[in-house]
PDB file of all heavy atoms in Angstrom:
ATOM      1  N   PHE A 185      16.092 284.084 114.207  1.00  0.00           N
ATOM      2  CA  PHE A 185      15.702 283.580 115.526  1.00  0.00           C
ATOM      3  C   PHE A 185      16.793 283.833 116.560  1.00  0.00           C
ATOM      4  O   PHE A 185      16.513 284.162 117.707  1.00  0.00           O
ATOM      5  CB  PHE A 185      15.420 282.078 115.441  1.00  0.00           C
ATOM      6  CG  PHE A 185      14.176 281.736 114.650  1.00  0.00           C
ATOM      7  CD1 PHE A 185      13.879 280.401 114.356  1.00  0.00           C
ATOM      8  CD2 PHE A 185      13.321 282.714 114.192  1.00  0.00           C
ATOM      9  CE1 PHE A 185      12.750 280.073 113.624  1.00  0.00           C
ATOM     10  CE2 PHE A 185      12.188 282.399 113.454  1.00  0.00           C
ATOM     11  CZ  PHE A 185      11.906 281.072 113.167  1.00  0.00           C
ATOM     12  N   GLU A 186      18.052 283.670 116.167  1.00  0.00           N
ATOM     13  CA  GLU A 186      19.145 283.900 117.105  1.00  0.00           C
ATOM     14  C   GLU A 186      19.237 285.368 117.503  1.00  0.00           C
ATOM     15  O   GLU A 186      19.607 285.687 118.633  1.00  0.00           O
ATOM     16  CB  GLU A 186      20.468 283.447 116.483  1.00  0.00           C
ATOM     17  CG  GLU A 186      20.605 281.935 116.399  1.00  0.00           C
ATOM     18  CD  GLU A 186      21.884 281.498 115.710  1.00  0.00           C
ATOM     19  OE1 GLU A 186      22.580 282.373 115.147  1.00  0.00           O
ATOM     20  OE2 GLU A 186      22.189 280.291 115.736  1.00  0.00           O
ATOM     21  N   GLY A 187      18.896 286.265 116.580  1.00  0.00           N
ATOM     22  CA  GLY A 187      18.949 287.689 116.891  1.00  0.00           C
ATOM     23  C   GLY A 187      17.769 288.188 117.704  1.00  0.00           C
ATOM     24  O   GLY A 187      17.808 289.303 118.226  1.00  0.00           O
ATOM     25  N   ASP A 188      16.714 287.369 117.824  1.00  0.00           N
ATOM     26  CA  ASP A 188      15.535 287.773 118.582  1.00  0.00           C
ATOM     27  C   ASP A 188      15.786 287.597 120.076  1.00  0.00           C
ATOM     28  O   ASP A 188      16.364 286.597 120.509  1.00  0.00           O
ATOM     29  CB  ASP A 188      14.330 286.932 118.162  1.00  0.00           C
ATOM     30  CG  ASP A 188      13.099 287.263 118.972  1.00  0.00           C
ATOM     31  OD1 ASP A 188      12.475 288.297 118.692  1.00  0.00           O
ATOM     32  OD2 ASP A 188      12.788 286.492 119.891  1.00  0.00           O
ATOM     33  N   LEU A 189      15.333 288.557 120.876  1.00  0.00           N
ATOM     34  CA  LEU A 189      15.528 288.495 122.324  1.00  0.00           C
ATOM     35  C   LEU A 189      14.234 288.259 123.085  1.00  0.00           C
ATOM     36  O   LEU A 189      14.262 288.055 124.294  1.00  0.00           O
ATOM     37  CB  LEU A 189      16.164 289.805 122.820  1.00  0.00           C
ATOM     38  CG  LEU A 189      17.522 290.171 122.209  1.00  0.00           C
ATOM     39  CD1 LEU A 189      18.034 291.463 122.824  1.00  0.00           C
ATOM     40  CD2 LEU A 189      18.521 289.052 122.395  1.00  0.00           C
ATOM     41  N   SER A 190      13.103 288.282 122.396  1.00  0.00           N
ATOM     42  CA  SER A 190      11.822 288.157 123.091  1.00  0.00           C
ATOM     43  C   SER A 190      11.381 286.709 123.234  1.00  0.00           C
ATOM     44  O   SER A 190      10.645 286.366 124.156  1.00  0.00           O
ATOM     45  CB  SER A 190      10.742 288.937 122.330  1.00  0.00           C
ATOM     46  OG  SER A 190      10.525 288.369 121.049  1.00  0.00           O
ATOM     47  N   GLY A 191      11.789 285.840 122.319  1.00  0.00           N
ATOM     48  CA  GLY A 191      11.366 284.445 122.362  1.00  0.00           C
ATOM     49  C   GLY A 191      10.093 284.162 121.613  1.00  0.00           C
ATOM     50  O   GLY A 191       9.732 283.010 121.415  1.00  0.00           O
ATOM     51  N   CYS A 192       9.393 285.223 121.172  1.00  0.00           N
ATOM     52  CA  CYS A 192       8.160 285.067 120.390  1.00  0.00           C
ATOM     53  C   CYS A 192       8.222 286.002 119.188  1.00  0.00           C
ATOM     54  O   CYS A 192       8.546 287.183 119.334  1.00  0.00           O
ATOM     55  CB  CYS A 192       6.932 285.396 121.240  1.00  0.00           C
ATOM     56  SG  CYS A 192       6.670 284.272 122.634  1.00  0.00           S
ATOM     57  N   ILE A 193       7.922 285.462 118.020  1.00  0.00           N
ATOM     58  CA  ILE A 193       8.006 286.245 116.783  1.00  0.00           C
ATOM     59  C   ILE A 193       6.691 286.127 116.034  1.00  0.00           C
ATOM     60  O   ILE A 193       6.178 285.027 115.842  1.00  0.00           O
ATOM     61  CB  ILE A 193       9.153 285.725 115.892  1.00  0.00           C
ATOM     62  CG1 ILE A 193      10.479 285.769 116.658  1.00  0.00           C
ATOM     63  CG2 ILE A 193       9.254 286.536 114.610  1.00  0.00           C
ATOM     64  CD1 ILE A 193      11.618 285.114 115.920  1.00  0.00           C
ATOM     65  N   GLN A 194       6.152 287.229 115.619  1.00  0.00           N
ATOM     66  CA  GLN A 194       4.892 287.219 114.881  1.00  0.00           C
ATOM     67  C   GLN A 194       5.140 286.935 113.403  1.00  0.00           C
ATOM     68  O   GLN A 194       6.155 287.355 112.832  1.00  0.00           O
ATOM     69  CB  GLN A 194       4.170 288.562 115.043  1.00  0.00           C
ATOM     70  CG  GLN A 194       3.757 288.854 116.472  1.00  0.00           C
ATOM     71  CD  GLN A 194       2.883 290.086 116.588  1.00  0.00           C
ATOM     72  OE1 GLN A 194       2.273 290.504 115.617  1.00  0.00           O
ATOM     73  NE2 GLN A 194       2.810 290.646 117.787  1.00  0.00           N
ATOM     74  N   TYR A 195       4.189 286.253 112.792  1.00  0.00           N
ATOM     75  CA  TYR A 195       4.321 285.890 111.379  1.00  0.00           C
ATOM     76  C   TYR A 195       4.418 287.131 110.492  1.00  0.00           C
ATOM     77  O   TYR A 195       5.158 287.139 109.504  1.00  0.00           O
ATOM     78  CB  TYR A 195       3.133 285.038 110.931  1.00  0.00           C
ATOM     79  CG  TYR A 195       3.087 283.672 111.552  1.00  0.00           C
ATOM     80  CD1 TYR A 195       2.009 283.268 112.326  1.00  0.00           C
ATOM     81  CD2 TYR A 195       4.125 282.767 111.357  1.00  0.00           C
ATOM     82  CE1 TYR A 195       1.967 282.014 112.899  1.00  0.00           C
ATOM     83  CE2 TYR A 195       4.093 281.510 111.920  1.00  0.00           C
ATOM     84  CZ  TYR A 195       3.013 281.133 112.700  1.00  0.00           C
ATOM     85  OH  TYR A 195       2.967 279.883 113.268  1.00  0.00           O
ATOM     86  N   ARG A 196       3.677 288.161 110.839  1.00  0.00           N
ATOM     87  CA  ARG A 196       3.677 289.342 109.965  1.00  0.00           C
ATOM     88  C   ARG A 196       5.031 290.041 109.957  1.00  0.00           C
ATOM     89  O   ARG A 196       5.407 290.658 108.958  1.00  0.00           O
ATOM     90  CB  ARG A 196       2.573 290.312 110.388  1.00  0.00           C
ATOM     91  CG  ARG A 196       2.758 290.986 111.728  1.00  0.00           C
ATOM     92  CD  ARG A 196       1.739 292.114 111.912  1.00  0.00           C
ATOM     93  NE  ARG A 196       1.913 292.804 113.173  1.00  0.00           N
ATOM     94  CZ  ARG A 196       1.271 292.495 114.285  1.00  0.00           C
ATOM     95  NH1 ARG A 196       0.399 291.498 114.293  1.00  0.00           N
ATOM     96  NH2 ARG A 196       1.481 293.191 115.398  1.00  0.00           N
ATOM     97  N   ASP A 197       5.790 289.922 111.074  1.00  0.00           N
ATOM     98  CA  ASP A 197       7.128 290.509 111.094  1.00  0.00           C
ATOM     99  C   ASP A 197       8.051 289.788 110.123  1.00  0.00           C
ATOM    100  O   ASP A 197       8.766 290.411 109.332  1.00  0.00           O
ATOM    101  CB  ASP A 197       7.707 290.436 112.509  1.00  0.00           C
ATOM    102  CG  ASP A 197       6.972 291.351 113.485  1.00  0.00           C
ATOM    103  OD1 ASP A 197       6.184 292.197 113.015  1.00  0.00           O
ATOM    104  OD2 ASP A 197       7.184 291.213 114.702  1.00  0.00           O
ATOM    105  N   LEU A 198       8.032 288.467 110.183  1.00  0.00           N
ATOM    106  CA  LEU A 198       8.858 287.687 109.259  1.00  0.00           C
ATOM    107  C   LEU A 198       8.397 287.870 107.822  1.00  0.00           C
ATOM    108  O   LEU A 198       9.211 287.881 106.896  1.00  0.00           O
ATOM    109  CB  LEU A 198       8.812 286.201 109.635  1.00  0.00           C
ATOM    110  CG  LEU A 198       9.816 285.736 110.692  1.00  0.00           C
ATOM    111  CD1 LEU A 198       9.579 284.276 111.026  1.00  0.00           C
ATOM    112  CD2 LEU A 198      11.234 285.936 110.221  1.00  0.00           C
ATOM    113  N   ALA A 199       7.094 288.003 107.637  1.00  0.00           N
ATOM    114  CA  ALA A 199       6.570 288.181 106.286  1.00  0.00           C
ATOM    115  C   ALA A 199       7.092 289.471 105.665  1.00  0.00           C
ATOM    116  O   ALA A 199       7.472 289.507 104.494  1.00  0.00           O
ATOM    117  CB  ALA A 199       5.039 288.187 106.307  1.00  0.00           C
ATOM    118  N   GLU A 200       7.133 290.549 106.459  1.00  0.00           N
ATOM    119  CA  GLU A 200       7.629 291.821 105.932  1.00  0.00           C
ATOM    120  C   GLU A 200       9.124 291.757 105.654  1.00  0.00           C
ATOM    121  O   GLU A 200       9.607 292.314 104.669  1.00  0.00           O
ATOM    122  CB  GLU A 200       7.330 292.950 106.919  1.00  0.00           C
ATOM    123  CG  GLU A 200       7.650 294.327 106.363  1.00  0.00           C
ATOM    124  CD  GLU A 200       7.134 295.448 107.246  1.00  0.00           C
ATOM    125  OE1 GLU A 200       6.383 295.158 108.199  1.00  0.00           O
ATOM    126  OE2 GLU A 200       7.488 296.612 106.966  1.00  0.00           O
ATOM    127  N   VAL A 201       9.858 291.055 106.495  1.00  0.00           N
ATOM    128  CA  VAL A 201      11.298 290.916 106.285  1.00  0.00           C
ATOM    129  C   VAL A 201      11.592 290.093 105.037  1.00  0.00           C
ATOM    130  O   VAL A 201      12.458 290.440 104.224  1.00  0.00           O
ATOM    131  CB  VAL A 201      11.957 290.269 107.519  1.00  0.00           C
ATOM    132  CG1 VAL A 201      13.405 289.888 107.223  1.00  0.00           C
ATOM    133  CG2 VAL A 201      11.899 291.218 108.710  1.00  0.00           C
ATOM    134  N   MET A 202      10.846 289.001 104.855  1.00  0.00           N
ATOM    135  CA  MET A 202      11.090 288.098 103.731  1.00  0.00           C
ATOM    136  C   MET A 202      10.453 288.585 102.433  1.00  0.00           C
ATOM    137  O   MET A 202      10.824 288.133 101.351  1.00  0.00           O
ATOM    138  CB  MET A 202      10.537 286.707 104.059  1.00  0.00           C
ATOM    139  CG  MET A 202      11.243 286.007 105.223  1.00  0.00           C
ATOM    140  SD  MET A 202      12.916 285.518 104.816  1.00  0.00           S
ATOM    141  CE  MET A 202      12.604 284.182 103.662  1.00  0.00           C
ATOM    142  N   GLY A 203       9.464 289.467 102.541  1.00  0.00           N
ATOM    143  CA  GLY A 203       8.777 289.936 101.344  1.00  0.00           C
ATOM    144  C   GLY A 203       7.763 288.952 100.808  1.00  0.00           C
ATOM    145  O   GLY A 203       7.481 288.930  99.602  1.00  0.00           O
ATOM    146  N   ILE A 204       7.217 288.101 101.687  1.00  0.00           N
ATOM    147  CA  ILE A 204       6.207 287.123 101.294  1.00  0.00           C
ATOM    148  C   ILE A 204       5.032 287.245 102.261  1.00  0.00           C
ATOM    149  O   ILE A 204       5.074 288.005 103.228  1.00  0.00           O
ATOM    150  CB  ILE A 204       6.769 285.688 101.291  1.00  0.00           C
ATOM    151  CG1 ILE A 204       7.325 285.320 102.679  1.00  0.00           C
ATOM    152  CG2 ILE A 204       7.869 285.538 100.247  1.00  0.00           C
ATOM    153  CD1 ILE A 204       7.879 283.904 102.760  1.00  0.00           C
ATOM    154  N   SER A 205       3.971 286.474 102.005  1.00  0.00           N
ATOM    155  CA  SER A 205       2.787 286.548 102.863  1.00  0.00           C
ATOM    156  C   SER A 205       3.017 285.811 104.177  1.00  0.00           C
ATOM    157  O   SER A 205       3.859 284.910 104.266  1.00  0.00           O
ATOM    158  CB  SER A 205       1.580 285.941 102.147  1.00  0.00           C
ATOM    159  OG  SER A 205       1.760 284.547 101.960  1.00  0.00           O
ATOM    160  N   ALA A 206       2.251 286.195 105.196  1.00  0.00           N
ATOM    161  CA  ALA A 206       2.352 285.540 106.503  1.00  0.00           C
ATOM    162  C   ALA A 206       1.948 284.070 106.406  1.00  0.00           C
ATOM    163  O   ALA A 206       2.523 283.212 107.086  1.00  0.00           O
ATOM    164  CB  ALA A 206       1.475 286.273 107.521  1.00  0.00           C
ATOM    165  N   ALA A 207       0.964 283.758 105.555  1.00  0.00           N
ATOM    166  CA  ALA A 207       0.533 282.369 105.386  1.00  0.00           C
ATOM    167  C   ALA A 207       1.672 281.521 104.810  1.00  0.00           C
ATOM    168  O   ALA A 207       1.879 280.373 105.215  1.00  0.00           O
ATOM    169  CB  ALA A 207      -0.692 282.304 104.482  1.00  0.00           C
ATOM    170  N   ARG A 208       2.401 282.094 103.885  1.00  0.00           N
ATOM    171  CA  ARG A 208       3.524 281.353 103.287  1.00  0.00           C
ATOM    172  C   ARG A 208       4.639 281.140 104.305  1.00  0.00           C
ATOM    173  O   ARG A 208       5.270 280.079 104.330  1.00  0.00           O
ATOM    174  CB  ARG A 208       4.050 282.118 102.075  1.00  0.00           C
ATOM    175  CG  ARG A 208       5.112 281.363 101.292  1.00  0.00           C
ATOM    176  CD  ARG A 208       5.493 282.118 100.034  1.00  0.00           C
ATOM    177  NE  ARG A 208       6.604 281.478  99.361  1.00  0.00           N
ATOM    178  CZ  ARG A 208       7.197 281.966  98.279  1.00  0.00           C
ATOM    179  NH1 ARG A 208       6.753 283.101  97.748  1.00  0.00           N
ATOM    180  NH2 ARG A 208       8.208 281.334  97.728  1.00  0.00           N
ATOM    181  N   VAL A 209       4.893 282.140 105.152  1.00  0.00           N
ATOM    182  CA  VAL A 209       5.890 281.978 106.220  1.00  0.00           C
ATOM    183  C   VAL A 209       5.498 280.827 107.133  1.00  0.00           C
ATOM    184  O   VAL A 209       6.326 279.988 107.501  1.00  0.00           O
ATOM    185  CB  VAL A 209       6.033 283.283 107.026  1.00  0.00           C
ATOM    186  CG1 VAL A 209       6.846 283.044 108.298  1.00  0.00           C
ATOM    187  CG2 VAL A 209       6.695 284.359 106.182  1.00  0.00           C
ATOM    188  N   ARG A 210       4.218 280.769 107.486  1.00  0.00           N
ATOM    189  CA  ARG A 210       3.745 279.711 108.381  1.00  0.00           C
ATOM    190  C   ARG A 210       3.921 278.342 107.739  1.00  0.00           C
ATOM    191  O   ARG A 210       4.388 277.398 108.392  1.00  0.00           O
ATOM    192  CB  ARG A 210       2.273 279.951 108.737  1.00  0.00           C
ATOM    193  CG  ARG A 210       1.741 279.010 109.808  1.00  0.00           C
ATOM    194  CD  ARG A 210       0.308 279.379 110.190  1.00  0.00           C
ATOM    195  NE  ARG A 210      -0.142 278.588 111.309  1.00  0.00           N
ATOM    196  CZ  ARG A 210      -0.608 277.336 111.229  1.00  0.00           C
ATOM    197  NH1 ARG A 210      -0.678 276.751 110.037  1.00  0.00           N
ATOM    198  NH2 ARG A 210      -0.993 276.683 112.300  1.00  0.00           N
ATOM    199  N   LEU A 211       3.566 278.214 106.460  1.00  0.00           N
ATOM    200  CA  LEU A 211       3.726 276.934 105.770  1.00  0.00           C
ATOM    201  C   LEU A 211       5.188 276.532 105.682  1.00  0.00           C
ATOM    202  O   LEU A 211       5.542 275.356 105.879  1.00  0.00           O
ATOM    203  CB  LEU A 211       3.112 277.024 104.374  1.00  0.00           C
ATOM    204  CG  LEU A 211       1.582 277.040 104.297  1.00  0.00           C
ATOM    205  CD1 LEU A 211       1.129 277.253 102.854  1.00  0.00           C
ATOM    206  CD2 LEU A 211       1.000 275.730 104.841  1.00  0.00           C
ATOM    207  N   GLN A 212       6.052 277.497 105.389  1.00  0.00           N
ATOM    208  CA  GLN A 212       7.477 277.194 105.312  1.00  0.00           C
ATOM    209  C   GLN A 212       8.007 276.689 106.647  1.00  0.00           C
ATOM    210  O   GLN A 212       8.729 275.691 106.701  1.00  0.00           O
ATOM    211  CB  GLN A 212       8.257 278.437 104.871  1.00  0.00           C
ATOM    212  CG  GLN A 212       8.169 278.737 103.389  1.00  0.00           C
ATOM    213  CD  GLN A 212       9.077 279.891 102.990  1.00  0.00           C
ATOM    214  OE1 GLN A 212       9.570 280.635 103.836  1.00  0.00           O
ATOM    215  NE2 GLN A 212       9.270 280.051 101.695  1.00  0.00           N
ATOM    216  N   LEU A 213       7.637 277.369 107.727  1.00  0.00           N
ATOM    217  CA  LEU A 213       8.153 276.981 109.037  1.00  0.00           C
ATOM    218  C   LEU A 213       7.583 275.639 109.494  1.00  0.00           C
ATOM    219  O   LEU A 213       8.252 274.884 110.200  1.00  0.00           O
ATOM    220  CB  LEU A 213       7.851 278.072 110.061  1.00  0.00           C
ATOM    221  CG  LEU A 213       8.655 279.364 109.871  1.00  0.00           C
ATOM    222  CD1 LEU A 213       8.195 280.431 110.857  1.00  0.00           C
ATOM    223  CD2 LEU A 213      10.136 279.098 110.041  1.00  0.00           C
ATOM    224  N   LEU A 214       6.346 275.331 109.103  1.00  0.00           N
ATOM    225  CA  LEU A 214       5.797 274.003 109.395  1.00  0.00           C
ATOM    226  C   LEU A 214       6.619 272.916 108.703  1.00  0.00           C
ATOM    227  O   LEU A 214       6.936 271.878 109.289  1.00  0.00           O
ATOM    228  CB  LEU A 214       4.342 273.927 108.936  1.00  0.00           C
ATOM    229  CG  LEU A 214       3.275 274.492 109.877  1.00  0.00           C
ATOM    230  CD1 LEU A 214       1.923 274.535 109.173  1.00  0.00           C
ATOM    231  CD2 LEU A 214       3.182 273.646 111.143  1.00  0.00           C
ATOM    232  N   PHE A 215       6.977 273.163 107.445  1.00  0.00           N
ATOM    233  CA  PHE A 215       7.777 272.207 106.686  1.00  0.00           C
ATOM    234  C   PHE A 215       9.220 272.163 107.191  1.00  0.00           C
ATOM    235  O   PHE A 215       9.806 271.086 107.351  1.00  0.00           O
ATOM    236  CB  PHE A 215       7.742 272.586 105.205  1.00  0.00           C
ATOM    237  CG  PHE A 215       8.635 271.754 104.329  1.00  0.00           C
ATOM    238  CD1 PHE A 215       8.383 270.410 104.139  1.00  0.00           C
ATOM    239  CD2 PHE A 215       9.735 272.330 103.705  1.00  0.00           C
ATOM    240  CE1 PHE A 215       9.209 269.635 103.338  1.00  0.00           C
ATOM    241  CE2 PHE A 215      10.564 271.576 102.897  1.00  0.00           C
ATOM    242  CZ  PHE A 215      10.302 270.226 102.717  1.00  0.00           C
ATOM    243  N   PHE A 216       9.797 273.334 107.448  1.00  0.00           N
ATOM    244  CA  PHE A 216      11.191 273.398 107.875  1.00  0.00           C
ATOM    245  C   PHE A 216      11.404 272.694 109.210  1.00  0.00           C
ATOM    246  O   PHE A 216      12.473 272.129 109.449  1.00  0.00           O
ATOM    247  CB  PHE A 216      11.643 274.854 107.993  1.00  0.00           C
ATOM    248  CG  PHE A 216      11.838 275.548 106.667  1.00  0.00           C
ATOM    249  CD1 PHE A 216      12.182 276.887 106.616  1.00  0.00           C
ATOM    250  CD2 PHE A 216      11.666 274.867 105.470  1.00  0.00           C
ATOM    251  CE1 PHE A 216      12.362 277.525 105.401  1.00  0.00           C
ATOM    252  CE2 PHE A 216      11.834 275.495 104.251  1.00  0.00           C
ATOM    253  CZ  PHE A 216      12.179 276.819 104.218  1.00  0.00           C
TER     254      PHE A 216
END
C-alpha cells in the first residue's frame, strides 16, 4: 500500500502478487 501511488488497488493485482485468489485477498483484508 505504501508503494502504491494511485490510491486504489484492484483485488486481482494483489491476488497475482500473493499467489492466492482475489476472494481470499478480500476476506483477508476484511479481517485485517
Side-chain angles (χ1 to χ4, degrees):
F185 291 173
E186 287 177 351
D188 177 77
L189 301 182
S190 64
C192 296
I193 303 173
Q194 296 188 21
Y195 292 120
R196 68 169 182 267
D197 292 348
L198 274 176
E200 188 170 351
V201 170
M202 295 291 289
I204 58 179
S205 66
R208 186 175 174 184
V209 169
R210 188 175 187 279
L211 287 175
Q212 283 186 346
L213 290 175
L214 277 171
F215 174 66
F216 287 177

